[in-house]
Amino acid sequence: MKKKLLMVLVFTCILLSGCGKETEQSILKKLKEKVEDTQAYQVTGDLCIYSNEDEYAYEVTVSYQKENQFRVLLKNKTNNHEQIILRNEDGVYVLTPSLNKSFKFQSDWPYNSSQSYILQPLLEDMENEEEREFKKTDDGYEWITKVNYVSNTKLVNQKIVLDKNLNFKTVEVYDETGAVSISMKFDKIDYKAKFDDHYFDLNNNMEVARENVDTDEEVSNMDDIIYPMYIPKNTSLESQDKVEKEVGERVILTFAGESPFVFIQETSPVCEEMSVLPVDGEPILLASGIGALTDSSITWIEDNIEYYITTTDLTEEEMLEVVNSVSVMPIGK
């Protein structure tokens, strides 16, 4: 009788102490095991970037395979323009299939910055943030953490939402005013994805992507000159020059004042053979797609026009503000 009574008391104490009850730490541990134990995964979803009251919407497919092979396909919902960010054993690449052109980086992407659509950086933000906020909801779990967008310190925190099965559902990234700057909605996560031997190969990715390009329509002249909507204080347009190239045109806008910079836009021919351009910088997510960031320049391609901002006076944040104010084709307001 005494043994039975003792067992009842022990069992009651366990229940009252909450032993076995899920905590934030136990949930994070399970999530970490889920992500790190997989040999490969594939994520599909919708990414929106908000800039100057405009909304840029992309279909996103993220593929990962051990060890450290990544492929991110971004498709603009407005003009179907596609870009691919690829990481394999040879380096990191940004591919623009419509031009048969790619940039090559010696970069630690995607681990060197927060990423709203890649699982490992999201998990790292959740683990490393000591002041994170956590709560359980009727449908799952929510975290609020700080973010580390190295080139854009105006992005300060994010809300990460998981369902009860620890699947990522949404991520919202907020700026210093509390406005949503980036949002990601996860449609599907396959933790048992299988990829063929050439899935993360540069040449194979370009060949396959080129097959999906409707036409090799080249832009030969600049019908419209694009101007940035944001110009730093006490800085103004000093000169505007149009130069004929061997094929196409180049427009050079020179801004002078306290924060001088040069903004170049030029037509870009489709390369007969794949062109790989080494870049001493980092791939960066812009409102208009993926660009290349260095200490003194940002380069990006949109609608087969190449854009460059070069400066020795602007900070990375100021360059980004200028670039993201160059509105070519937003999805809406």
Side-chain angles (χ1 to χ4, degrees):
M1 184 67 181
K2 288 183 179 180
K3 286 186 178 181
K4 288 184 179 180
L5 180 59
L6 180 61
M7 290 178 65
V8 170
L9 289 173
V10 170
F11 183 68
T12 303
C13 288
I14 291 174
L15 289 178
L16 291 175
S17 65
C19 184
K21 185 179 180 181
E22 283 192 327
T23 64
E24 179 188 4
Q25 289 297 334
S26 68
I27 294 167
L28 268 179
K29 182 180 178 182
K30 288 181 181 179
L31 178 62
K32 184 176 182 179
E33 291 172 351
K34 189 173 187 176
V35 173
E36 292 186 349
D37 288 350
T38 184
Q39 295 298 308
Y41 69 71
Q42 187 166 76
V43 170
T44 57
D46 294 301
L47 176 72
C48 284
I49 302 171
Y50 305 91
S51 176
N52 300 308
E53 298 184 359
D54 292 326
E55 176 185 332
Y56 298 77
Y58 296 87
E59 295 175 8
V60 182
T61 303
V62 179
S63 305
Y64 163 78
Q65 181 170 275
K66 287 188 174 180
E67 295 284 339
N68 290 324
Q69 296 189 97
F70 290 90
R71 178 185 183 272
V72 177
L73 172 64
L74 290 174
K75 182 177 181 179
N76 188 303
K77 288 189 176 183
T78 300
N79 57 14
N80 293 324
H81 180 69
E82 291 187 359
Q83 284 184 291
I84 297 170
I85 316 175
L86 184 70
R87 173 173 175 157
N88 58 30
E89 60 185 10
D90 297 321
V92 175
Y93 302 86
V94 172
L95 288 69
T96 302
S98 62
L99 295 178
N100 204 17
K101 182 178 292 187
S102 67
F103 297 105
K104 182 180 180 181
F105 305 81
Q106 293 300 322
S107 168
D108 196 33
W109 178 92
Y111 299 109
N112 55 356
S113 177
S114 292
Q115 309 286 345
S116 61
Y117 45 84
I118 302 179
L119 304 189
Q120 286 89 342
L122 284 169
L123 180 60
E124 187 174 336
D125 285 344
M126 296 163 74
E127 283 190 300
N128 294 344
E129 175 53 62
E130 295 180 357
E131 298 178 3
R132 61 181 178 255
E133 299 177 30
F134 167 76
K135 71 175 182 179
K136 294 182 180 180
T137 67
D138 292 338
D139 299 319
Y141 312 95
E142 289 183 4
W143 277 267
I144 294 179
T145 77
K146 293 178 182 177
V147 292
N148 178 34
Y149 286 90
V150 177
S151 59
N152 190 355
T153 58
K154 290 186 176 181
L155 303 180
V156 294
N157 54 29
Q158 64 188 348
K159 181 169 73 172
I160 302 169
V161 178
L162 277 66
D163 66 17
K164 291 180 179 178
N165 296 318
L166 302 186
N167 291 312
F168 288 88
K169 300 305 293 181
T170 60
V171 174
E172 290 184 338
V173 182
Y174 303 94
D175 66 15
E176 52 198 1
T177 71
V180 178
S181 294
I182 302 171
S183 68
M184 173 67 187
K185 178 180 179 296
F186 294 83
D187 292 330
K188 183 180 178 182
I189 303 177
D190 180 4
Y191 284 101
K192 297 182 179 180
K194 301 289 185 182
F195 306 111
D196 63 43
D197 293 340
H198 304 291
Y199 189 84
F200 297 92
D201 178 75
L202 172 63
N203 292 322
N204 180 70
N205 268 274
M206 186 64 85
E207 288 175 10
V208 172
R210 291 279 298 156
E211 291 175 0
N212 297 324
V213 175
D214 292 335
T215 61
D216 283 337
E217 183 179 348
E218 292 191 1
V219 179
S220 59
N221 49 57
M222 306 288 297
D223 293 331
D224 297 308
I225 299 174
I226 305 299
Y227 300 90
M229 300 298 293
Y230 168 78
I231 299 173
K233 186 178 180 181
N234 297 326
T235 304
S236 60
L237 180 64
E238 181 181 59
S239 64
Q240 175 176 308
D241 301 295
K242 181 177 284 190
V243 180
E244 296 292 330
K245 304 193 301 178
E246 185 175 341
V247 178
E249 297 176 330
R250 177 184 294 120
V251 173
I252 304 172
L253 304 179
T254 302
F255 293 81
E258 289 185 5
S259 303
F261 64 94
V262 177
F263 179 31
I264 301 169
Q265 45 204 284
E266 63 179 315
T267 57
S268 183
V270 178
C271 300
E272 292 185 9
E273 297 184 0
M274 182 180 64
S275 173
V276 180
L277 305 175
V279 177
D280 182 22
E282 296 288 339
I284 184 170
L285 179 63
L286 307 170
S288 53
I290 303 299
L293 169 70
T294 72
D295 291 339
S296 60
S297 70
I298 297 179
T299 306
W300 76 102
I301 298 172
E302 187 171 3
D303 289 339
N304 291 0
I305 301 290
E306 292 196 52
Y307 298 91
Y308 312 82
I309 282 184
T310 62
T311 180
T312 57
D313 294 271
L314 298 183
T315 64
E316 289 182 357
E317 286 187 5
E318 289 173 324
M319 282 197 293
L320 275 174
E321 199 158 355
V322 173
V323 169
N324 283 330
S325 75
V326 178
S327 179
V328 178
M329 188 179 288
I331 193 171
K333 293 186 177 181

